[in-house]
Amino acid sequence: MRKIIHVDMDAFFASVEMRDNPALRNVPMAVGGSSDRRGVLSTANYLARKFGVRSAMPTATAMKLCPQLVLVRGNYDKYSEASEQVHEVFLRYTDFVEGLSLDEAYLDVTSCDLFQNSATWIAEDIRKKIFEKTGLTASAGIAPNKLIAKMASEYNKPNGQFTIAPWMVDDFMKTVPVEKIHGIGKVTAKYLHDLGIKTCLDMQRYTRSELIHLLRKFGDALYDYCRGFDEREVITEYERKSLSNESTFDRDISDFEEMKSQLITMVSDLKESLLSYEDREIKNLHVKIKYHDFKQTTIERQLPLEEENFLLLLEERWSQDPRPVRLLGVGVKFYDEICEEYEELQLDLLTNDSA
Ligand code: TTP
Ligand code: MG
């Protein structure tokens, strides 16, 4: 049985701004683009959320809900710096850290021998150390797997944590609405609701093959997920979804032969890096071209990992727009079965919806 902690920073972008400007601390505020330029919000502090203000909401809508809302322009460098500091804290506890976004990560602390291996205490300590280092609060979910840990981190937000021990999983899952399962977006949720599947308990009444019939490969995963069963490992940075190699040239290159020879060197470096990923199946190859005017284009295709295939992609794309090039990139995407199937499914459902 694993011990997984999901950590999620509270109102992340907004909290960074509040930390750095005391005048923002006791007012409803949000980070985002202004309403006259059709901006949307990245996030809002908890005071603003009381008015119904939310992430991804058009700023104009938010201003109607909360006219006194103070709007702050984002400062991505600051968020990124805070994110790095938080990541450094994680690495004091375990090497098995999977960052999901700037403010969110899974940690596998199964083998962490601090605090008598109590994941609950470890999480308390992580949150304390994050606060000491960054002045920001985080919430955490502690559970036997990623699926449940992510749900649990929302329970006592902000600045709280919640543990779901293995013996609590069965009862807990029965009450969970299906849209809380990671990967079930709005479209799939509506599809399931229309079938009368609202909670995980509703879903548990379906057999594995029925769910596969309804939702293909994702249905197979859901059969397990709705029972709180999730074997996915914490995937470290090292085991990511793609690997690429790119270089910006000292001067723009217009000669195709020169581009080819640069590309050959880059492919050989890429192949060398790929030796550490031998167990991953490659889904496709891509070539990226950035022109002298910074316009860029990427071409990707399912082809065997051969130098000549990268050259083929380069030739095909560059010949469509043969201008001087300032950067070339080559890379591969790894196959991630469940995600792939899920993307296809979302598309299908969307298409069916509009039909
Ligand atoms: P979230 O963790 O979803 O939100 P949050 O940290 O602001 O609030 P919560 O306390 O509920 O976790 O996202 C993290 C950051 O990512 C958020 O601060 C801003 C950014 N973000 C966007 O820019 N656009 C979006 O639509 C969302 C959801 C987040
Ligand atoms: Mg957050």
Side-chain angles (χ1 to χ4, degrees):
M1 190 75 77
R2 295 193 182 111
K3 293 185 181 188
I4 308 292
I5 301 176
H6 177 254
V7 180
D8 189 312
M9 303 298 292
D10 302 319
F12 185 48
F13 292 5
S15 302
V16 173
E17 300 301 338
M18 285 155 70
R19 174 194 68 185
D20 296 347
N21 179 359
L24 298 172
R25 285 183 200 158
N26 297 311
V27 293
M29 60 84 60
V31 176
S34 63
S35 51
D36 55 350
R37 270 177 275 133
R38 295 208 280 169
V40 290
L41 300 183
S42 298
T43 192
N45 69 1
Y46 277 77
L47 216 52
R49 291 185 197 191
K50 286 195 180 150
F51 294 83
V53 175
R54 295 283 179 271
S55 290
M57 181 179 269
T59 309
T61 314
M63 296 306 291
K64 272 185 210 135
L65 289 169
C66 178
Q68 68 273 45
L69 184 73
V70 178
L71 203 64
V72 178
R73 272 235 186 139
N75 182 338
Y76 198 79
D77 287 344
K78 272 205 306 199
Y79 312 145
S80 169
E81 189 191 339
S83 175
E84 272 169 35
Q85 290 175 321
V86 170
H87 216 78
E88 282 163 20
V89 172
F90 294 153
L91 293 171
R92 294 188 206 165
Y93 299 82
T94 173
D95 290 334
F96 300 104
V97 177
E98 177 179 349
L100 294 176
S101 65
L102 277 187
D103 93 319
E104 214 184 326
Y106 291 117
L107 284 75
D108 186 330
V109 295
T110 315
S111 310
C112 174
D113 47 20
L114 295 165
F115 302 97
Q116 298 162 334
N117 191 232
S118 157
T120 298
W121 289 1
I122 294 171
E124 288 278 4
D125 199 56
I126 289 174
R127 293 173 42 241
K128 190 167 140 231
K129 292 291 187 316
I130 289 177
F131 188 76
E132 285 168 8
K133 189 156 179 172
T134 66
L136 302 168
T137 63
S139 297
I142 303 99
N145 60 47
K146 291 184 2 178
L147 175 86
I148 306 176
K150 188 163 165 78
M151 293 173 183
S153 68
E154 281 184 27
Y155 258 70
N156 283 323
K157 226 176 200 314
N159 199 16
Q161 64 178 60
F162 188 55
T163 301
I164 297 174
W167 55 268
M168 295 158 70
V169 169
D170 281 350
D171 285 341
F172 173 77
M173 286 312 296
K174 286 179 185 149
T175 63
V176 171
V178 285
E179 58 272 20
K180 290 278 176 200
I181 294 183
H182 189 46
I184 295 193
K186 275 191 189 143
V187 180
T188 316
K190 180 173 183 316
Y191 175 69
L192 291 169
H193 289 177
D194 289 349
L195 289 165
I197 307 174
K198 300 229 160 76
T199 64
C200 285
L201 182 64
D202 296 333
M203 192 177 273
Q204 286 174 15
R205 300 197 175 104
Y206 286 73
T207 63
R208 190 182 286 276
S209 53
E210 282 168 341
L211 286 176
I212 292 173
H213 180 71
L214 290 173
L215 296 152
R216 281 189 254 154
K217 191 108 182 177
F218 191 49
D220 193 21
L222 282 179
Y223 180 84
D224 295 324
Y225 291 173
C226 72
R227 289 166 172 74
F229 188 71
D230 173 19
E231 293 254 77
R232 287 173 302 156
E233 285 177 23
V234 167
I235 302 174
T236 57
E237 207 87 350
Y238 193 66
E239 304 160 297
R240 53 195 156 183
K241 288 182 184 151
S242 63
L243 191 69
S244 55
N245 176 19
E246 52 183 55
S247 47
T248 306
F249 307 121
D250 301 336
R251 52 181 177 81
D252 300 338
I253 302 182
S254 309
D255 174 35
F256 187 66
E257 288 308 312
E258 197 181 343
M259 264 176 238
K260 269 166 73 173
S261 86
Q262 292 282 358
L263 197 90
I264 288 168
T265 314
M266 290 163 70
V267 170
S268 128
D269 289 348
L270 177 73
K271 280 186 163 171
E272 199 171 314
S273 313
L274 277 166
L275 293 175
S276 321
Y277 295 81
E278 269 177 336
D279 55 335
R280 300 294 298 274
E281 192 185 338
I282 291 172
K283 188 189 149 206
N284 62 28
L285 314 183
H286 63 258
V287 169
K288 171 170 151 187
I289 301 173
K290 195 187 267 183
Y291 289 104
H292 63 105
D293 58 359
F294 287 86
K295 283 216 172 94
Q296 68 175 52
T297 175
T298 302
I299 175 166
E300 63 176 55
R301 194 163 301 154
Q302 242 165 346
L303 290 168
L305 182 71
E306 304 289 347
E307 182 185 286
E308 63 199 282
N309 288 331
F310 285 103
L311 290 172
L312 192 100
L313 292 176
L314 173 68
E315 186 160 14
E316 184 178 321
R317 184 48 58 92
W318 190 71
S319 63
Q320 289 169 353
D321 189 5
R323 291 183 298 132
V325 166
R326 64 175 268 119
L327 171 149
L328 282 180
V330 291
V332 300
K333 226 181 235 169
F334 298 119
Y335 198 71
D336 178 344
E337 263 182 294
I338 291 184
C339 279
E340 298 304 326
E341 287 275 337
Y342 180 65
E343 275 167 23
E344 278 171 33
L345 174 75
Q346 284 280 13
L347 266 179
D348 281 3
L349 292 175
L350 270 172
T351 324
N352 289 342
D353 243 21
S354 54

